[in-house]
Each structure stands twice: as C-alpha cells, then as structure tokens.
Amino acid sequence: MLPEKFKAALLERHVNTRSFPATSDIKKLFTKIVLTLFPEQARKHVTQMEELQSIWEGIENGLESLLYDMTDVLPDTPQKITSRYMERIPEIYQLLLTDVEAMVNGDPAATTDYEVIRTYPGFYALAFYRLAHGLHAEKVPLIPRILTEYAHSKTGIDIHPGAQIGQYFFMDHGTGIVIGETCVIGEHVKIYQGVTLGALSVDKSMASTKRHPTIENGVVIYSGATILGGETIVGANSIIGGNVWLTRSVAPNTKIYHQENQKVIQE
C-alpha cells in the first residue's frame, strides 16, 4: 500500500498541473500536415479538390482545438494564432522544397525528389522543424519542442524550433546533429553527421542571450565538428573540416581542418 503522504503529494501535483494537449494528438495532427504536403510519404493520395479542402479544414480545426486546451498561456486567441499559422503553411512548404532540391543536388546517392522525401531523415527532421518554427514564431509554448523532439527521436537530429535556418539547407546522413536555439544558419549550408552548433556555456543566466553560432551562406561543415558560442561567426563559403573544435569567428572563404597527431608504435 502506498503511503498516505505520498498519495497526497501526488494528488496535489495532479490538481495543480494545468491542462495541456496530449502529446499523441500533437504528433498525429502535424504528421497529417506533413503527409498532406508531401504525399510521397502517404499511403493514400487525394484525387479531388473537395477532399483536399476538407483535409485542410480538419487540420485547421484540429490546431485550433489543440490551442484551446492551453488558452491561458497563449499570447493571442486560438482562432487568431491558428489563422496566422495556416497562412504560413505555403511559405513553409516552399522552404522545404528548397531543402529537397539541396539534398538531391548535394548528395550523389540521391536520385529523385521522391527518394529524398520518402527516405531521408534530414528531410523528415526539417519538415517537423520548419512546422515547429512557425509555431515558435507565434510564441506558442511547448508544442514546438514536442514536435522537434518527436523528430529527434525518429531521426537522431536535434534542432531547436527557435533556430533560424535559411533555404536550401542540407544535412547529409544527419545522425547526431545538434542545432541550438539561437543558432542562425544562412542559405545553401551543408552539414554532415555529428555536427554540434552549440553554446560555450550552459549557465541559466544566458537564457535570453544569443548563445549559439551564426553560419553564413554557402558554408560546409564536415562530420564531428563542434562550433560553439553566440559570438562565433563562420564566414560565407567557408569549409570546416571533420572533428574541428571552433570557438572563434572565421573570415569568409576560410578552410579549417583538424590535424591529427598520430603516433605509430612499432613492435
């Protein structure tokens, strides 16, 4: 039998915990958005405009319903936030199309858009990130993190919804990539597996400051590289080699490589 004191404390926690949409409902709704935008991932396809319109109306109603469950923490009414967010969908879609193009053009192993959309973890992670970023811009709490952490659990790619990522973004392989909340990434950037774009310090007092690096247009960052700090800027068209540890800014068109110090022992 559980102690009465423990049960009383647990009951108090239940009573004082505010209402919030179920994580399963959030995942289901935004997965539906991804499948509607990219039928390459769906088993069933729409054949009539009326059917497509009905799906989008259901998505809009579903989002508004989710937001009603958290009205007390929203900066605006659920209706207004939902309306503005739905207006963002075409822009999000166009951004994702540029990402697909970057993946097809940047990976010799990629043969078609269909292959990228259907199989690449980088695309899946970006789809949820870009949808989450739209909600983050509306100052909707927690739901954006739930979405990107869901994609993280599926792909091994950890992108904070607050990060700013430009068009034509390509994560090759993707596993182990970490992109922090205040990171700013330009256009036509390519990064490989295991790259960390993080903070120099995790001090709580830095929560409202820029803690993560800025990566300018055309930069390539190879696997295992770690780039840290809010004042760190990687200049345009630079190349950062594998396993580089970088905590300072580099000028445009710079190449930085990790020089391994090998010691050979002969028996």
Side-chain angles (χ1 to χ4, degrees):
M1 189 71 177
L2 292 173
E4 291 300 319
K5 186 176 181 180
F6 171 79
K7 290 189 291 184
L10 190 58
L11 176 61
E12 183 179 4
R13 190 179 185 92
H14 275 263
V15 170
N16 292 329
T17 297
R18 61 179 174 80
S19 176
F20 195 82
T23 297
S24 58
D25 291 340
I26 295 168
K27 293 176 182 177
K28 184 177 179 180
L29 177 65
F30 283 85
T31 296
K32 187 174 183 180
I33 294 176
V34 173
L35 296 181
T36 305
L37 290 174
F38 296 96
E40 293 89 342
Q41 291 204 359
R43 182 174 59 87
K44 295 178 63 177
H45 299 154
V46 175
T47 58
Q48 300 292 331
M49 180 57 71
E50 292 79 6
E51 185 181 1
L52 183 61
Q53 180 63 28
S54 177
I55 290 172
W56 280 116
E57 288 174 359
I59 288 170
E60 185 169 1
N61 291 335
L63 178 58
E64 189 172 324
S65 178
L66 287 179
L67 296 179
Y68 263 115
D69 286 343
M70 49 188 297
T71 302
D72 58 327
V73 294
L74 294 177
D76 207 338
T77 66
Q79 300 98 315
K80 289 181 179 178
I81 293 174
T82 298
S83 177
R84 290 195 300 267
Y85 184 76
M86 296 302 293
E87 291 175 357
R88 293 178 183 267
I89 294 292
E91 180 184 356
I92 293 171
Y93 177 68
Q94 291 301 320
L95 277 172
L96 285 167
L97 290 181
T98 71
D99 299 330
V100 172
E101 183 178 336
M103 294 176 202
V104 172
N105 293 338
D107 186 357
T111 57
T112 62
D113 292 5
Y114 186 94
E115 179 184 7
V116 165
I117 293 168
R118 189 64 187 259
T119 68
Y120 276 44
F123 169 77
Y124 194 82
L126 276 173
F128 276 87
Y129 153 74
R130 293 207 185 275
L131 289 169
H133 184 72
L135 279 181
H136 184 273
E138 290 291 342
K139 295 182 171 55
V140 174
L142 204 55
I143 288 181
R145 287 301 303 273
I146 289 173
L147 292 174
T148 54
E149 288 302 331
Y150 174 63
H152 182 193
S153 72
K154 293 288 187 181
T155 65
I157 299 169
D158 183 0
I159 310 175
H160 193 286
Q164 300 177 48
I165 301 177
Q167 59 185 354
Y168 297 99
F169 184 53
F170 178 24
M171 297 178 289
D172 203 351
H173 303 294
T175 307
I177 287 174
V178 177
I179 300 174
E181 176 184 14
T182 61
C183 192
V184 177
I185 299 176
E187 300 179 359
H188 296 278
V189 171
K190 181 178 182 178
I191 65 178
Y192 286 79
Q193 69 273 16
V195 167
T196 296
L197 304 178
L200 269 171
S201 171
V202 292
D203 193 306
K204 200 68 176 177
S205 64
M206 298 178 65
S208 60
T209 63
K210 189 179 186 307
R211 310 181 303 282
H212 306 95
T214 295
I215 311 298
E216 294 186 342
N217 296 347
V219 170
V220 178
I221 308 172
Y222 283 95
S223 60
T226 299
I227 304 174
L228 305 177
E231 296 181 0
T232 301
I233 300 173
V234 178
N237 304 308
S238 292
I239 297 176
I240 309 301
N243 298 318
V244 165
W245 178 276
L246 188 63
T247 59
R248 60 178 175 81
S249 295
V250 298
N253 303 298
T254 298
K255 294 182 180 179
I256 297 182
Y257 295 99
H258 172 70
Q259 185 67 44
E260 186 175 3
N261 185 14
Q262 292 184 336
K263 183 177 181 180
V264 178
I265 299 176
Q266 294 180 338
E267 295 183 359

